[in-house]
Amino acid sequence: KTLVGHVSRVYTLEFSNGSNSLLMSGCDDGMRLWDAEKGTIISEIKIGKDKTSHNDLIECGCWTHEGETFVTGSRDNDLKAGDIDLKSGKLNCLETIFGHKAAVLDVRFCSKNQFLASCGRDSVIKLWDAKTLSKAYRAKRADDSGIKCLLLGTMSGHRGDVTTLSFDLSGKFLFSGPTFSSNYTED
């Protein structure tokens, strides 16, 4: 089946681990949430539409908390966390997560410890406490706008873009993949 809806290059595709048919895609023109079984768009967010949308293309995305929440990373240096009401198709931006100084190239969630990791063109990896993105915090967030994903730490040491991340199954280790310079010469 071909899913038709994007008009430019797609950079990320992620199925929700809470549903076999809910698919998130991101590209130059925004993000789409799909019912992959039916081949239809449930909802979409255009780039620069309003203050809750990204201002540049979406490079990456992941689902958190068994598919309750999605997080996208963009060339605008930010992460956006949101959820969707599947009945209405309404997308809700829970939070814009600031911290990177360049494009965000990957974002991953670890369900074991509820950590979110992000990386990008600023050569760093950021680790966030993502407990507050779960549905259990929705009422608290509505009552207290100060509830945010807290930055737990920044890991530096890469010499170029950090393009990919992966948590191991235990949640104890985070692996990263950098872009290497082609300045290497062999004698």
Side-chain angles (χ1 to χ4, degrees), residues 5-183:
H6 285 293
V7 294
S8 60
R9 180 179 165 194
V10 175
Y11 292 91
T12 187
L13 289 168
E14 292 286 330
F15 271 102
S16 167
N17 52 359
S19 164
N20 286 335
S21 67
L22 187 59
L23 177 69
M24 169 182 46
S25 64
C27 74
D28 292 331
D29 63 342
M31 184 189 80
R32 309 283 188 282
L33 289 176
W34 304 82
D35 181 325
E37 285 180 12
K38 293 178 183 174
T40 57
I41 296 171
I42 297 169
S43 192
E44 62 185 313
I45 299 175
K46 297 287 188 184
I47 297 293
K49 178 184 150 196
D50 56 36
K51 65 181 181 176
T52 64
S53 63
H54 284 290
N55 292 319
D56 206 337
L57 72 87
I58 296 169
E59 290 271 4
C60 56
C62 71
W63 292 89
T64 72
H65 303 90
E66 302 301 320
E68 292 177 1
T69 308
F70 59 86
V71 178
T72 54
S74 170
R75 286 191 185 169
D76 65 9
N77 310 347
D78 298 334
L79 296 159
K80 299 272 186 185
D83 66 3
I84 182 168
D85 178 339
L86 290 174
K87 290 179 183 174
S88 70
K90 183 176 184 277
L91 292 168
N92 176 35
C93 182
L94 298 171
E95 179 178 351
T96 300
I97 305 169
F98 303 102
H100 282 279
K101 295 179 180 169
V104 179
L105 299 177
D106 199 10
V107 60
R108 293 289 151 210
F109 177 70
C110 179
S111 60
K112 293 274 186 192
N113 49 30
Q114 298 189 45
F115 290 162
L116 192 67
S118 58
C119 66
R121 291 231 157 95
D122 53 5
S123 305
V124 299
I125 300 164
K126 296 204 176 268
L127 193 64
W128 310 88
D129 182 348
K131 283 192 246 8
T132 61
L133 295 178
S134 71
K135 280 195 177 177
Y137 275 83
R138 295 297 195 271
K140 293 175 189 175
R141 277 180 167 270
D143 189 46
D144 182 353
S145 63
I147 295 176
K148 303 286 182 200
C149 283
L150 297 176
L151 179 63
L152 297 173
T154 300
M155 296 173 264
S156 58
H158 287 295
R159 293 185 180 171
D161 299 351
V162 185
T163 58
T164 189
L165 297 169
S166 184
F167 283 100
D168 78 320
L169 292 176
S170 73
K172 292 180 182 178
F173 299 100
L174 175 65
F175 296 87
S176 60
T179 300
F180 290 103
S181 170
S182 59
N183 295 337

